[in-house]
Amino acid sequence: QGQFVESGGGLVQPGGSLRLSCAASRRVFNMYTMGWFRRAPGKRRELVTTITTDGQTNYVDSVKGRFTISRDSAKNTIYLQMNSLRPEDTAVYYCNAVIASSAAFSSWGQGTQVTVSS
């Protein structure tokens, strides 16, 4: 399993910023494309952004230009820098390895809650 541990969420006003972190096992981190998913209240979990092992990134249209994914190989950790946050970004954010735009592992971490509200 991936053994993902997410952190960094919180309550922020619209227009604010947050930086999320996700630690994974070394094996998973070195072998797989990694991604951030989110589940908003009443909605299905969606893939937001991915980063390959060689650093290529991809974003869903709704976060392009506002979110940035990165990875630190020394720490087996990926990050999500979120700027210009909007109320519709409110969700529980999760990380997982990604295969064909889907989560590679059925076991998820606890996630981290992001709430954007004034």
Side-chain angles (χ1 to χ4, degrees):
Q1 297 298 313
Q3 298 178 322
F4 308 109
V5 180
E6 302 93 346
S7 63
L11 172 63
V12 63
Q13 292 186 343
S17 297
L18 283 173
R19 188 191 194 210
L20 308 184
S21 301
C22 168
S25 68
R26 179 175 295 276
R27 182 185 69 86
V28 169
F29 187 88
N30 288 337
M31 288 182 61
Y32 291 89
T33 291
M34 296 293 295
W36 284 98
F37 297 75
R38 67 184 179 186
R39 176 177 283 164
K43 296 186 178 181
R44 300 179 68 177
R45 184 153 40 199
E46 66 167 340
L47 178 61
V48 174
T49 177
T50 60
I51 186 166
T52 65
T53 53
D54 60 356
Q56 296 183 53
T57 60
N58 194 37
Y59 301 90
V60 68
D61 285 347
S62 61
V63 307
K64 282 182 180 177
R66 301 188 299 120
F67 289 11
T68 302
I69 188 172
S70 60
R71 58 191 294 149
D72 185 336
S73 297
K75 297 181 179 180
N76 303 326
T77 297
I78 63 169
Y79 302 96
L80 184 63
Q81 178 66 44
M82 305 187 294
N83 299 327
S84 302
L85 282 161
R86 304 168 179 170
E88 54 264 38
D89 295 317
T90 295
V92 180
Y93 284 72
Y94 304 85
C95 67
N96 205 315
V98 177
I99 297 176
S101 300
S102 295
F105 297 97
S106 59
S107 176
W108 295 84
Q110 81 287 351
T112 187
Q113 175 71 49
V114 172
T115 302
V116 185
S117 175
S118 55

